[in-house]
Amino acid sequence: MSAIQLLWSLGLVIGGPPLLLGVIHKTKAILTGRIGAPVLQPYYDLWKLLQKGAVYSRTTSWVFRAGPLVSLAAFLTAALFVPLAAPSTLLSFWGDVVLWAYLVGVARFITVLAALDTGSSFEGMGASREVTFASLAEPALLVALAVIAKVTGSVQLSEMFGPVLGSAWRTAGPALALAAASLFLVLLAENARMPVDDPTTHLELTMIHEVMVLDHGGPDFAFILYGSALKLFLFGVLLVRLLMPVHIGVPWMDLSMLITGLLGLAVVIGVVESSMARLRLIRVPQLLVTSGVLAAVGLLLVWR
Amino acid sequence: MAQGVDLILVLAMLLNFLVLGSSRLRACIRAVAFQGVLLSILPLLLHQGGLAVHMVALSAGMLTLKGFLFPWLLLRTLRDGSMRAEIEPLIGFTASLLVGAIATVAAFLLSSRLPSLPSLTSSLLVPAAMATLLISLVVLVSRTKALTQVLGYLMLENGIFLFGLTLVQSMPLLVELGVLLDLFAGVFIMGIVIYHISREFDHIDTYHLTILKD
């Protein structure tokens, strides 16, 4: 990987994520007949939060302060494994897909711990919901990744989402389509998108992700917002790579295709969010189990 | 060709899950109807060497009955019977989905044990047929509304039809048309009976029939 390509990739990972949120919000605004906030609003929000100081409760310990930092670090590390511009990634080894899945898990774990550390029953409720749904979303994610691994014959993210995938679509199209559908549902659930969770309202009946971060403020909250945008970005990259397995070979063209795909995905998420109502909390496990079942059927199709 | 058959079979299997997971009766009826339409394309794709007349007749019969007539009848019953368009299953939706997944896995395992016919165009045909059969049985035993049981029977017939397709070269037209006719009569009578039951008793929950006394 050349130096210029490296810079491009790093720039995309660091600068790109909030833009996705901005596009989603803009799409929702347009579809509901509003003008909406500027597309760059998430950047302004982050900047505003970074200017502030933080207030810590005396009942909290170091875990509460470590939460945002560790989760952001985990997401940034996970970003190094995701193939962005080219098939090659910044960091890579055989079997890194498991590490990738569990780096996302570490971020969730520390967020849950930080929420429990506040001692607030409200945050404990959110943590409990988060863990319940994660325990259903994680198998779905891993099985969907297993489908891709089986089809491409590799357990390395850079190869799984590399050029092999294009020819795999011709031989195992249905299974890959099922994996993609499953990944999309997991993406919606993991990133607090609409049918599962709505990050823009604060309604205690159904809120999951944002209830855990209510006590964070200032730079800590900025880290959390940025981390969740990065998480959406990472899942989005995998989904776009899966759905558009075309490799031209010219780095900047591949990169611009990826960016186009990501923006398209953001618009799709926006459309899904504005056309669907939020599910009752009791129906969310059903959605996640559906996602797992889709992936499992996909795995069956390729494993026969 | 084989890709198209595979795609249709995978879609049919996914529709099984839609029936298991959906709480809306209307969506279930549409899903079963769509499954019937998908399966009605299969004889045309599977038949090698030109289009035989009886295959076309079978496809057309299947399409009109399962794609248009049955859903129309069932939707009409649903509307006129003024029943609640929601399903209250004996097994929860998440559990039914899991049972469906297990049934599908079992279907794949079972069909891998069976001796395969040389005439099979798609290796997915037998597992898809078995999965549809098993899941239709789950629908039959776990849903209490009479209308959903009709849907279960329709899915069961879809599965049997898929099994029949493994013998597509030698399947007599009369047998399949006879099954379709029986089904037609069955659904027709069920439609009328459900309508009358629901007018008489203001619900069509078969669960209440188990505690009947004379």
Side-chain angles (χ1 to χ4, degrees):
Chain A
M1 186 181 272
S2 66
I4 194 85
Q5 219 173 318
L6 185 82
L7 283 179
W8 263 107
S9 301
L10 279 179
L12 187 61
V13 164
I14 293 171
L19 184 64
L20 283 185
L21 288 184
V23 172
I24 291 176
H25 290 156
K26 196 73 180 174
T27 314
K28 284 171 75 173
I30 290 173
L31 282 178
T32 45
R34 291 175 285 129
I35 297 170
V39 176
L40 296 182
Q41 185 64 40
Y43 294 97
Y44 304 145
D45 287 348
L46 287 177
W47 180 246
K48 179 191 74 186
L49 285 170
L50 284 174
Q51 306 288 309
K52 294 186 174 180
V55 178
Y56 297 106
S57 152
R58 255 172 299 148
T59 59
T60 57
S61 66
W62 61 271
V63 176
F64 181 73
R65 298 182 185 218
L69 291 174
V70 174
S71 66
L72 183 59
F75 285 133
L76 281 173
T77 319
L80 300 181
F81 290 97
V82 167
L84 283 171
S88 57
T89 55
L90 298 175
L91 266 182
S92 179
F93 59 88
W94 186 253
D96 57 8
V97 57
V98 180
L99 180 66
W100 186 84
Y102 282 100
L103 277 171
V104 177
V106 163
R108 174 164 44 233
F109 175 69
I110 195 75
T111 314
V112 166
L113 274 194
L116 290 176
D117 190 49
T118 60
S120 141
S121 56
F122 195 38
E123 300 218 4
M125 179 197 73
S128 132
R129 287 177 180 173
E130 168 83 16
V131 172
T132 311
F133 295 147
S135 68
L136 294 168
E138 206 168 84
L141 173 68
L142 283 175
V143 174
L145 287 174
V147 174
I148 303 167
K150 176 70 185 160
V151 166
T152 54
S154 167
V155 281
Q156 196 170 356
L157 275 176
S158 55
E159 284 183 28
M160 281 166 63
F161 293 91
V164 197
L165 203 56
S167 52
W169 268 99
R170 278 188 282 283
T171 53
L176 283 179
L178 289 178
S182 171
L183 267 185
F184 185 65
L185 289 180
V186 171
L187 180 147
L188 291 179
E190 288 268 313
N191 294 294
R193 300 326 306 183
M194 190 55 135
V196 176
D197 190 5
D198 185 0
T200 55
T201 66
H202 290 282
L203 178 69
E204 56 262 41
L205 279 177
T206 49
M207 61 202 276
I208 304 164
H209 295 77
E210 70 271 26
V211 75
M212 294 193 302
V213 297
L214 276 180
D215 284 2
H216 289 284
D220 283 341
F221 193 52
F223 287 166
I224 284 170
L225 285 183
Y226 180 73
S228 63
L230 186 55
K231 188 179 184 184
L232 178 69
F233 178 83
L234 295 180
F235 276 92
V237 168
L238 289 193
L239 194 60
V240 168
R241 276 260 170 257
L242 175 60
L243 288 175
M244 302 199 318
V246 189
H247 292 272
I248 304 168
V250 190
W252 68 268
M253 282 179 85
D254 279 342
L255 204 61
S256 52
M257 259 183 56
L258 179 70
I259 295 172
T260 321
L262 278 173
L263 293 180
L265 180 71
V267 172
V268 169
I269 294 175
V271 171
V272 167
E273 287 207 14
S274 27
S275 60
M276 280 187 79
R278 179 162 52 184
L279 288 175
R280 289 204 329 261
L281 199 64
I282 205 162
R283 300 294 300 271
V284 172
Q286 194 193 336
L287 183 83
L288 291 171
V289 168
T290 311
S291 150
V293 165
L294 287 180
V297 172
L299 192 61
L300 262 182
L301 289 178
V302 290
W303 213 333
R304 278 178 304 141
Chain B
M1 198 70 126
Q3 275 280 324
V5 174
D6 277 2
L7 193 66
I8 288 179
L9 290 174
V10 169
L11 274 178
M13 281 195 273
L14 290 184
L15 285 170
N16 290 338
F17 288 111
L18 184 59
V19 175
L20 278 182
S22 172
S23 66
R24 304 274 155 186
L25 211 42
R26 216 173 286 274
C28 286
I29 295 174
R30 297 237 165 84
V32 174
F34 186 49
Q35 197 178 37
V37 170
L38 279 178
L39 298 191
S40 73
I41 306 170
L42 278 181
L44 301 177
L45 286 180
L46 281 175
H47 192 71
Q48 286 121 343
L51 291 174
V53 176
H54 78 274
M55 279 303 147
V56 177
L58 185 56
S59 271
M62 181 109 171
L63 187 67
T64 37
L65 276 184
K66 286 190 180 161
F68 298 102
L69 201 56
F70 290 166
W72 177 75
L73 260 175
L74 293 174
L75 286 175
R76 202 195 59 141
T77 316
L78 186 66
R79 197 180 56 236
D80 293 349
S82 63
M83 55 193 77
R84 289 187 61 204
E86 279 180 30
I87 304 171
E88 297 115 19
L90 293 178
I91 310 174
F93 292 110
T94 312
S96 337
L97 276 172
L98 284 177
V99 169
I102 292 169
T104 310
V105 173
F108 272 89
L109 285 181
L110 264 175
S111 61
S112 68
R113 295 293 179 87
L114 292 177
S116 70
L117 289 171
S119 63
L120 276 186
T121 328
S122 165
S123 58
L124 274 180
L125 199 52
V126 179
M130 283 208 189
T132 312
L133 282 179
L134 290 174
I135 289 176
S136 72
L137 292 177
V138 175
V139 172
L140 273 176
V141 297
S142 70
R143 307 290 192 260
T144 53
K145 287 250 174 78
L147 209 57
T148 34
Q149 299 197 332
V150 178
L151 285 180
Y153 279 118
L154 283 175
M155 280 173 72
L156 192 66
E157 213 286 322
N158 281 346
I160 295 170
F161 178 79
L162 273 177
F163 255 128
L165 280 181
T166 56
L167 310 168
V168 69
Q169 305 297 341
S170 50
M171 180 168 59
L173 173 68
L174 270 180
V175 173
E176 192 56 44
L177 283 188
V179 172
L180 273 180
L181 186 68
D182 281 353
L183 203 66
F184 173 61
V187 173
F188 197 69
I189 292 168
M190 277 301 249
I192 296 166
V193 166
I194 292 171
Y195 179 62
H196 281 285
I197 292 178
S198 67
R199 278 192 36 170
E200 216 51 46
F201 297 105
D202 66 61
H203 60 74
I204 50 160
D205 200 334
T206 51
Y207 182 69
H208 295 284
L209 294 181
T210 57
I211 50 172
L212 276 181
K213 291 194 185 77
D214 54 2

